[in-house]
Amino acid sequence: MPPLPRRRRRDRHGRGLRGPLSPPGTPLARTRAQVFDDLVLDAVESLEQRWADQLRGLEVAVEDVPPTDAPSPGPDPVPLGRAFPATPGLAPRIVIYRRPVETRAVGPDDLADLVQDVVTEQVAELLGLPPESVDPDYDLRDDD
């Protein structure tokens, strides 16, 4: 029987095994979902500074895509977010849908603005106010 061919190893030039390009916890190691979650948290925190009493107990969630069996709350067939008012036993909550929001954003700065706008719109719906009164910068971002 002939000898088995020798397997090549990943360290064929003697530099050791390949590892991650950056250690965990550094910005390069963050996933798109983690970055998106941080943008949502930043948007909520900026609104909580102004509306702390009204937003007490608000739950915020991020889901990848909206459920297919739920009707669209607005004219857009794919919602970017949804607000759920408080019910007995459940706190008020908003859900932001990551993939539809990311699809509509042109770049990282546009994504941050769009996330802020979607969070503002959902909070405004819960409070029964126009988005412009919830976040004074809402109109300014729409004009960009």
Side-chain angles (χ1 to χ4, degrees):
M1 182 155 129
L4 294 173
R6 196 174 134 171
R7 288 178 152 221
R8 286 191 173 195
R9 305 253 181 214
R10 291 182 69 120
D11 63 345
R12 66 178 190 200
H13 294 289
R15 291 182 233 153
L17 295 175
R18 294 181 185 168
L21 293 176
S22 65
T26 60
L28 287 177
R30 299 188 52 77
T31 64
R32 285 188 342 202
Q34 290 170 329
V35 171
F36 189 86
D37 290 348
D38 287 344
L39 290 174
V40 171
L41 288 176
D42 291 343
V44 171
E45 285 176 6
S46 72
L47 294 177
E48 279 182 336
Q49 292 174 358
R50 185 169 182 200
W51 300 95
D53 292 337
Q54 294 85 345
L55 298 180
R56 184 162 312 181
L58 176 69
E59 294 178 1
V60 180
V62 175
E63 292 183 11
D64 284 340
V65 293
T68 57
D69 60 345
S72 177
D76 194 358
V78 179
L80 302 179
R82 186 165 287 158
F84 298 94
T87 58
L90 289 176
R93 64 190 190 281
I94 61 172
V95 178
I96 308 300
Y97 300 115
R98 181 176 66 86
R99 299 288 297 269
V101 172
E102 285 178 337
T103 301
R104 285 169 178 77
V106 177
D109 292 335
D110 188 40
L111 179 62
D113 288 345
L114 184 57
V115 167
Q116 181 70 41
D117 285 347
V118 171
V119 169
T120 299
E121 291 166 0
Q122 301 311 313
V123 168
E125 185 177 328
L126 282 177
L127 298 177
L129 299 170
E132 299 82 17
S133 65
V134 172
D135 182 5
D137 294 333
Y138 179 79
D139 275 341
L140 299 176
R141 283 190 301 271
D142 273 351
D143 294 338
D144 291 343

